[in-house]
Amino acid sequence: MLLRIALRKKTSKFTAISAAITLALAPSALAQEKEKGPAILRDTESEQLLRDYTRPILRVAGLEKQNIQVTIINESVFNAFVADGHRIFVNYGALMQSETPNQIIGVLAHETGHLAGGHLSKLREQVAVAQTQMVIAMLLGAGAIAAGAKGSYGNSGLANAGAAALSAPQEVIRRNLISYQRQQEENADRAGVKFLTATGQSAKGMYDTFKRFSNDNLFAAHGADPYVQSHPMPAERVAALEEIARTSPHWEKKDDPALQLRHDMMRAKISAFMERQDTVYRRYPLSNTSLPARYAHAITTYLHGDLHSALTQIDGLIQVQPNNPYFYELRGQALLEGGRPAEAIAPLRKAVQLSNNAPLIEMLLGQALVASDNKAYADEAIGILRTAVARETEAPLGYLQLAMAYSRKGDLAEADLASAQAAYLRGDNKTARDLASRAKTRFAIGTPGWVKADDIITAKPPPKGN
Ligand SMILES: [Zn+2]
C-alpha cells in the first residue's frame, strides 16, 4: 500500500514516520542521522515479505522470541544495519539492488549474525574502553614520554596508551576499533552462512552482494557509501566468506519462483512509489507485460493523476490474482486519494479481509470510512481503528484518523486524546502534552481517558536511539 495519505508531501510517498534512531555502527552515519531523523517506510506487503525472509533465520539463530523487526528506511543507497538489538534496518535501496530474495536474505542473515553475537553492545564496550584509553593517554602523555625514554614500553595497557600518546593516540585507538569491528564482521559472516545452511538456503546471494562492495572491486561504490563504511570489505574477508559459503550443500540452490515473484512485486512497488517516473519506465518499459511491470505501471499511473486508467490497470491485476490483498489495497488507496472515499471502502474491506486484518490496511479503511462523511460510519471506523492502533503501535496515522472519527461524533475528549497520541508518536512532545492537557479537562477525573491523557503529560520523551 504505501500509505501516502497522512502527509501529502511529495517527499513522503510511503507513510513516512519520523523516528529518532541513533546508528551505532557507522560514526559518520551517526552524525548524519542526528541531523535529520530518517523517515521510515511503512508498507504491509514489503514488511510481510521481509518477515517471511527473516523468520526462519531468526529461529535457527535462537532469536525467534525476541520480537525482532525489520524496518525499511527511506534511503535510496544500499545499507543494512542493526541498531538496538531489536531491529534490523534496511534501506529501500538495498531492496532495489537485491535482484533475488537470496541476495537480501543473505544480508539479513549477516545482520542477524550481529544480533546473535551481541556485537553492538560489545562494540560499545570497546568504544568505552577506547575512550578511557584516550583519557589515560592524554593524562599520562608527558609521563609516558619519560617512561618511553627509559625504554620501558611493555605490553601493559598504560604503556601502550603512553605509546599512543606519543604518536597520534586517536589514530592508534581508531585502528584498534576498526580491527575489532572487522573481527565482528567476519564473525557475522560465519554466523550468517551457518543460519542460511541450517535453513536450507544458499549463501551465494550474500557472497555476491558483499563481493560487489569489496575493496578490490573496481566498480565498488566510493568511500562515501554507508554500507562500506559500516561494513569494511577487505578482499580477504570476501575470500573467506566465499570459502565457507561454497562448502554449503545449498550453494547452487535457486530461489523458489513464487518467492521470486513476491520479491519482484515488492521492488516494482518500491520503484513506482519512490523513484522518478522516467526511472520507473526505464526499469519497466511498457513493452514489459510481466505482473511486476504491470504493478509498477498501475501505481505510477495513479500517482501521476490518471485515476481512470489506473483503476482499469488495477482491475486487470486483480483478474490475474483475485486473492492478492495488495491489489485491493491499491484500488482503495487510489480511490481514496482520488477524492472518492466512499468507493474506496469496498476494496479496502476486501484488502483487510484478505490480509488477515493487517493494521496498516485497517487504518486506510478507517480513513476511507471517516472521509466518506457519513455519520453512520463513525462508530465502525472507531472500532476498526482502535484494534489497529492496539496492534500497530508506531503509526500515528491510526490515531489521526481516530481523532477525526471521534470529532465527527462530537466526542471532543477522545478526539483530543487521540490527537495527543498521534503527536506523541510523531515525536512532537510539546503538542502531545498540550493536547493531552486539554483532553484531561474534558474527561472525568480517574476515567481511563483521563489516565491515558495524564500518562502522556507525565511521559518522558521516548529514548532517542539506544
Ligand atoms: Zn556487518
CSV table of all heavy atoms in Angstrom, one decimal, residues 25 110-111 114 184-185 188-189 210 227 230-231 237, ligand 1:
chain,number,residue,atom,x,y,z
A,25,LEU,N,26.8,1.7,14.5
A,25,LEU,CA,27.9,1.1,13.8
A,25,LEU,C,28.8,2.1,13.0
A,25,LEU,O,30.0,1.9,13.0
A,25,LEU,CB,27.4,0.0,12.9
A,25,LEU,CG,27.1,-1.3,13.7
A,25,LEU,CD1,26.7,-2.4,12.7
A,25,LEU,CD2,28.3,-1.8,14.5
A,110,HIS,N,23.4,-12.0,7.7
A,110,HIS,CA,24.6,-11.4,8.2
A,110,HIS,C,24.2,-10.5,9.4
A,110,HIS,O,24.9,-10.5,10.5
A,110,HIS,CB,25.3,-10.6,7.1
A,110,HIS,CG,26.4,-9.8,7.6
A,110,HIS,ND1,27.7,-10.2,7.7
A,110,HIS,CD2,26.4,-8.5,8.1
A,110,HIS,CE1,28.5,-9.2,8.1
A,110,HIS,NE2,27.7,-8.2,8.4
A,111,GLU,N,23.2,-9.6,9.2
A,111,GLU,CA,22.8,-8.7,10.3
A,111,GLU,C,22.3,-9.5,11.5
A,111,GLU,O,22.5,-9.1,12.6
A,111,GLU,CB,21.7,-7.7,9.8
A,111,GLU,CG,22.2,-6.8,8.7
A,111,GLU,CD,23.4,-6.0,9.1
A,111,GLU,OE1,23.6,-5.6,10.3
A,111,GLU,OE2,24.3,-5.8,8.2
A,114,HIS,N,25.1,-10.4,13.6
A,114,HIS,CA,25.5,-9.3,14.5
A,114,HIS,C,24.6,-9.4,15.8
A,114,HIS,O,25.0,-9.2,16.9
A,114,HIS,CB,25.3,-7.9,13.9
A,114,HIS,CG,26.4,-7.6,12.9
A,114,HIS,ND1,27.7,-7.6,13.3
A,114,HIS,CD2,26.4,-7.2,11.7
A,114,HIS,CE1,28.5,-7.3,12.2
A,114,HIS,NE2,27.7,-7.0,11.2
A,184,GLN,N,34.3,-8.6,14.1
A,184,GLN,CA,32.9,-8.8,14.3
A,184,GLN,C,32.3,-9.1,12.9
A,184,GLN,O,31.4,-9.9,12.8
A,184,GLN,CB,32.2,-7.5,14.9
A,184,GLN,CG,32.5,-7.4,16.3
A,184,GLN,CD,31.5,-6.4,17.0
A,184,GLN,OE1,31.0,-5.5,16.3
A,184,GLN,NE2,31.3,-6.4,18.3
A,185,GLU,N,32.7,-8.4,11.9
A,185,GLU,CA,32.1,-8.6,10.5
A,185,GLU,C,32.4,-10.0,10.1
A,185,GLU,O,31.5,-10.7,9.6
A,185,GLU,CB,32.8,-7.6,9.5
A,185,GLU,CG,32.3,-6.2,9.7
A,185,GLU,CD,30.8,-6.1,9.7
A,185,GLU,OE1,30.1,-6.8,8.9
A,185,GLU,OE2,30.3,-5.3,10.5
A,188,ALA,N,30.1,-12.3,11.9
A,188,ALA,CA,28.7,-12.2,11.4
A,188,ALA,C,28.6,-12.9,10.1
A,188,ALA,O,27.6,-13.5,9.8
A,188,ALA,CB,28.3,-10.7,11.3
A,189,ASP,N,29.6,-12.8,9.3
A,189,ASP,CA,29.6,-13.6,8.0
A,189,ASP,C,29.4,-15.1,8.3
A,189,ASP,O,28.6,-15.8,7.7
A,189,ASP,CB,30.9,-13.4,7.2
A,189,ASP,CG,31.0,-12.0,6.6
A,189,ASP,OD1,30.0,-11.3,6.5
A,189,ASP,OD2,32.1,-11.6,6.2
A,210,PHE,N,28.3,-9.0,-1.1
A,210,PHE,CA,29.4,-8.4,-0.5
A,210,PHE,C,30.6,-8.3,-1.5
A,210,PHE,O,31.4,-7.3,-1.3
A,210,PHE,CB,29.8,-9.3,0.7
A,210,PHE,CG,28.9,-9.2,1.9
A,210,PHE,CD1,27.8,-8.4,1.8
A,210,PHE,CD2,29.1,-9.9,3.1
A,210,PHE,CE1,26.9,-8.3,2.9
A,210,PHE,CE2,28.2,-9.8,4.1
A,210,PHE,CZ,27.1,-9.0,4.0
A,227,TYR,N,27.2,1.6,3.4
A,227,TYR,CA,27.3,0.2,3.8
A,227,TYR,C,28.8,-0.2,3.9
A,227,TYR,O,29.2,-1.0,4.7
A,227,TYR,CB,26.6,-0.7,2.7
A,227,TYR,CG,26.4,-2.1,3.2
A,227,TYR,CD1,25.5,-2.3,4.3
A,227,TYR,CD2,27.0,-3.2,2.7
A,227,TYR,CE1,25.3,-3.6,4.8
A,227,TYR,CE2,26.8,-4.5,3.2
A,227,TYR,CZ,26.0,-4.7,4.2
A,227,TYR,OH,25.7,-5.9,4.7
A,230,SER,N,30.1,1.1,7.2
A,230,SER,CA,29.8,0.3,8.4
A,230,SER,C,30.3,-1.2,8.2
A,230,SER,O,30.3,-1.9,9.2
A,230,SER,CB,28.3,0.4,8.7
A,230,SER,OG,27.6,-0.2,7.6
A,231,HIS,N,30.5,-1.6,7.0
A,231,HIS,CA,30.9,-2.9,6.7
A,231,HIS,C,32.2,-3.0,5.9
A,231,HIS,O,32.1,-3.2,4.7
A,231,HIS,CB,29.8,-3.7,6.0
A,231,HIS,CG,28.6,-4.0,6.9
A,231,HIS,ND1,27.7,-3.1,7.2
A,231,HIS,CD2,28.3,-5.1,7.5
A,231,HIS,CE1,26.8,-3.6,8.0
A,231,HIS,NE2,27.1,-4.9,8.2
A,237,ARG,N,38.3,-10.8,3.5
A,237,ARG,CA,37.1,-11.1,4.1
A,237,ARG,C,36.1,-11.8,3.1
A,237,ARG,O,35.5,-12.8,3.4
A,237,ARG,CB,36.4,-9.9,4.7
A,237,ARG,CG,35.1,-10.1,5.3
A,237,ARG,CD,34.3,-8.9,5.8
A,237,ARG,NE,32.9,-9.2,5.9
A,237,ARG,CZ,32.0,-8.3,6.0
A,237,ARG,NH1,32.3,-7.0,5.9
A,237,ARG,NH2,30.7,-8.6,6.0
B,1,ZN,ZN,28.1,-6.4,9.3
